[in-house]
Amino acid sequence: EWQGALALLIAMCRAVLKPDHISYNTAVSACEKGIQWQRALALLDAMFEFVLEPTAVSYSAAISACEKGAKWQWALTLLVALNRAVSSQLEQRLRKRFRGAKRLCTA
């Protein structure tokens, strides 16, 4: 039930508990199941406000919510954002590994 998932997330914030990716992903997934695409998008936006970068799971659930709500334009926008996020994360990992390999070679 999306109402319960959102209520729990709001309660966590009010109790000064910091919601994590799992909390948000659960709420976005619940919104997807309830065809609440607007709320799913709002939750993605809230993740950025709390300095939590949405994961592939977050984007996938929101994309599915938009699909179920016949909002294909939003689904495509999210798909592009997911592609950029994954590319950025991969680039960061590769840079980190390259730096580590470079240190090993120069040691």
Side-chain angles (χ1 to χ4, degrees), residues 28 31-32 35-37 40 60-70:
V28 173
C31 289
E32 176 257 328
I35 314 172
Q36 297 294 313
W37 65 272
S60 295
I63 288 167
S64 183
C66 290
E67 176 191 1
K68 289 180 179 180

Side-chain angles (χ1 to χ4, degrees), residues 36-95:
Q36 297 294 313
W37 65 272
Q38 301 98 326
R39 286 184 172 90
L41 294 178
L43 287 169
L44 281 183
D45 191 46
M47 288 180 81
F48 285 111
E49 287 181 31
F50 283 102
V51 194
L52 285 173
E53 191 170 326
T55 64
V57 173
S58 314
Y59 281 110
S60 295
I63 288 167
S64 183
C66 290
E67 176 191 1
K68 289 180 179 180
K71 299 297 178 186
W72 60 269
Q73 299 94 334
W74 279 108
L76 288 176
T77 300
L78 291 173
L79 190 57
V80 170
L82 171 59
N83 185 40
R84 286 186 184 144
V86 168
S87 295
S88 175
Q89 290 170 1
L90 179 60
E91 184 179 332
Q92 289 173 5
R93 288 183 191 146
L94 288 174
R95 282 186 188 167

